[in-house]
Amino acid sequence: MGGVTETLFTRADTIDPAAAADSRDARLSRSLSGTNLARAGDYNLRTVLQAIRLAPGTTRVDIARQTGLTAATIANITGRLADLGLVRVMGRKLGGRGQPALQLSIEPDGAFGIGVNIDRDHLTLVTLDLAGTVRSRVSREIAFALPADVVAFVREELDGALAAGQVDRARVVGVGVALPDDLGRIAIPHRPQGYGIWTDTSIPQLLGPQLPWPIHCDNDAAAAALGEAEYGTAFDNPSFFYLLISAGLGGGLVIDRSFHRGASNRSGEIGLMPDPGAARPDARVQDTVSVSALLDRLATAGHRIPGVAALGDLPEAADAVVTAWVQDSIRALTTPMVAVSCLLDPDAVLIGGRLPMPLIARLADGLTQALAATNLPTRAPIMPSTMAQDAPAIGAAILPFLDRLLPSDAILIQAGR
């Protein structure tokens, strides 16, 4: 059982950048097919835990039917999971013949993940339990935080977040950090001199002294899509494209409940696509479709907004600016959405990020109407994501679960090494 039984709750060395990159390549899987291959016990344990997590109150008979594992294997694994404190017995299932079957559920306090989202306009830290409940959240509005600012934020807020969430430090399996790719390189309005320091900053080395757990790093849009796949809409929409509207614009692609990264780990880079319809000849989509672009427009029009939270309560005089931004965003996103619908044919396009939900809904409705007016062989429904606001931080907190507890195809491959 290796990594689950012996080292699940012990302190591990901080993951180096190369190991973090390898971890990013692990494909998410919600398939509950088990295996009886020798040396694949770790994968089977993860698969059974996933089956219990996704269906609280399930029984051993139900799990055997879902996974194809033998009754003896299921009994052995569920016993181990109970001994580890990861599952608990809810009671017995009434009805039917014979001895009522034991019903199993996840023990929420069995394991915890910590998620940190570093972005150009804010820092957020969440704690997440094994059942997927956010136990605590703290966020700080800070423009273009530098590495020292992030260290100070974690140092000042971590203990309070753990206490507020009633998180047992001994049961924290790791920390996930989500941040945009090329954070120090891509131009964003008002980016200060010196922000390029992020290009040469190693997150594990930066935060390792503050966080005595394994650290996993991922792109913010990828983390948001992973979170949606694990705790959001993936059962209704097993294939989806995720739009993350934050200070920039990112995307994430999930196909048949597996996150797809592409050959260079850069799939979903919708924000960096050219925007030929923009007034500026070299414009990219995120130059229009981003929170920073919206705030910049409002400031130019004389409406200085203190932060993203104020976007939900703007003065009436600012309505025209917001409406123009929504219309321009729909224009900028229509061609990419046509490509997504025609090339990928997903079950849905999900929009999340830091915008207030009414603005996300306006974008979703407007894009739906734009696609309806276009002659296409297929049109993906466009809707707000389940976890719109803190999706990158929540997705980041799930990364340690994917590495240590939940099943992925990569775990099965590694089992024989």
Side-chain angles (χ1 to χ4, degrees):
M1 299 300 297
V4 175
T5 55
E6 280 87 19
T7 64
L8 179 58
F9 301 119
T10 60
R11 185 186 187 281
D13 291 334
T14 299
I15 294 175
D16 63 25
D22 289 340
S23 179
R24 286 182 55 167
D25 290 335
R27 295 202 297 119
L28 169 66
S29 173
R30 266 197 168 169
S31 168
L32 296 181
S33 297
T35 176
N36 288 307
L37 293 171
R39 299 182 296 177
D42 183 41
Y43 185 86
N44 286 340
L45 186 145
R46 291 166 182 252
T47 298
V48 171
L49 182 65
Q50 181 81 316
I52 297 170
R53 185 182 73 80
L54 296 175
T58 192
T59 67
R60 290 172 179 170
V61 173
D62 296 331
I63 298 169
R65 189 181 302 116
Q66 282 182 290
T67 63
L69 296 169
T70 66
T73 299
I74 296 297
N76 181 39
I77 289 176
T78 54
R80 285 163 139 171
L81 290 171
D83 290 343
L84 284 168
L86 299 176
V87 303
R88 63 185 179 187
V89 176
M90 295 174 60
R92 291 190 177 272
K93 188 174 183 179
L94 301 178
R97 298 180 179 180
Q99 178 75 3
L102 293 175
Q103 293 182 292
L104 303 170
S105 71
I106 285 290
E107 173 52 68
D109 291 344
F112 297 95
I114 298 171
V116 178
N117 180 205
I118 302 170
D119 207 343
R120 300 171 178 96
D121 59 356
H122 77 287
L123 303 172
T124 298
L125 185 150
V126 302
T127 61
L128 193 77
D129 67 25
L130 188 56
T133 301
V134 175
R135 299 290 284 265
S136 60
R137 171 192 183 273
V138 59
S139 189
R140 183 176 296 179
E141 298 293 320
I142 177 170
F144 299 102
L146 295 174
D149 299 317
V150 176
V151 171
F153 170 73
V154 171
R155 183 175 60 244
E156 293 164 11
E157 302 291 354
L158 178 63
D159 288 344
L162 294 177
Q166 297 182 314
V167 173
D168 181 352
R169 285 176 176 265
R171 294 214 163 238
V172 173
V173 295
V175 179
V177 181
L179 68 166
D181 285 331
D182 298 327
L183 182 63
R185 284 195 290 265
I186 293 178
I188 292 287
H190 312 299
R191 191 185 83 166
Q193 214 171 17
Y195 197 65
I197 191 175
W198 281 110
T199 301
D200 298 317
T201 298
S202 163
I203 297 298
Q205 291 177 12
L206 178 71
L207 295 179
Q210 308 297 325
L211 301 167
W213 304 283
I215 297 175
H216 309 267
C217 300
D218 213 331
N219 168 265
D220 55 348
L226 285 167
E228 193 72 28
E230 275 297 322
Y231 290 98
T233 186
F235 276 135
D236 294 330
N237 302 293
S239 295
F240 62 86
F241 189 87
Y242 193 99
L243 275 176
L244 179 69
I245 304 176
S246 56
L249 175 67
L253 176 60
V254 172
I255 301 176
D256 292 333
R257 303 188 181 98
S258 292
F259 187 80
H260 180 75
R261 297 187 182 278
S264 303
N265 286 332
R266 295 301 293 263
S267 68
E269 291 282 14
I270 192 169
L272 301 183
M273 292 178 67
D275 182 9
R280 201 179 77 208
D282 61 343
R284 298 182 176 186
V285 175
Q286 77 173 9
D287 294 334
T288 296
V289 190
S290 61
V291 173
S292 59
L294 174 56
L295 292 176
D296 200 43
R297 285 194 184 199
L298 286 166
T300 300
H303 307 289
R304 297 205 170 270
I305 308 303
V308 173
L311 288 174
D313 189 28
L314 290 173
E316 188 175 342
D319 286 348
V321 178
V322 174
T323 297
W325 176 82
V326 169
Q327 292 172 347
D328 284 347
S329 295
I330 291 168
R331 175 202 55 75
L333 284 170
T334 296
T335 297
M337 288 299 97
V338 167
V340 166
S341 289
C342 291
L343 297 177
L344 303 178
D345 190 21
D347 295 295
V349 173
L350 306 176
I351 304 179
R354 303 199 75 212
L355 291 173
M357 189 57 72
L359 266 183
I360 291 178
R362 284 175 67 180
L363 276 176
D365 291 343
L367 283 170
T368 297
Q369 293 173 24
L371 291 188
T374 307
N375 185 15
L376 299 174
T378 181
R379 296 175 183 83
I382 301 173
M383 63 189 76
S385 68
T386 302
M387 298 183 300
Q389 298 299 318
D390 288 325
I394 296 171
I398 292 170
L399 295 178
F401 293 157
L402 293 173
D403 182 66
R404 305 293 290 279
L405 295 172
L406 301 181
S408 76
D409 295 338
I411 299 303
L412 181 58
I413 294 169
Q414 292 166 5
R417 290 182 180 178

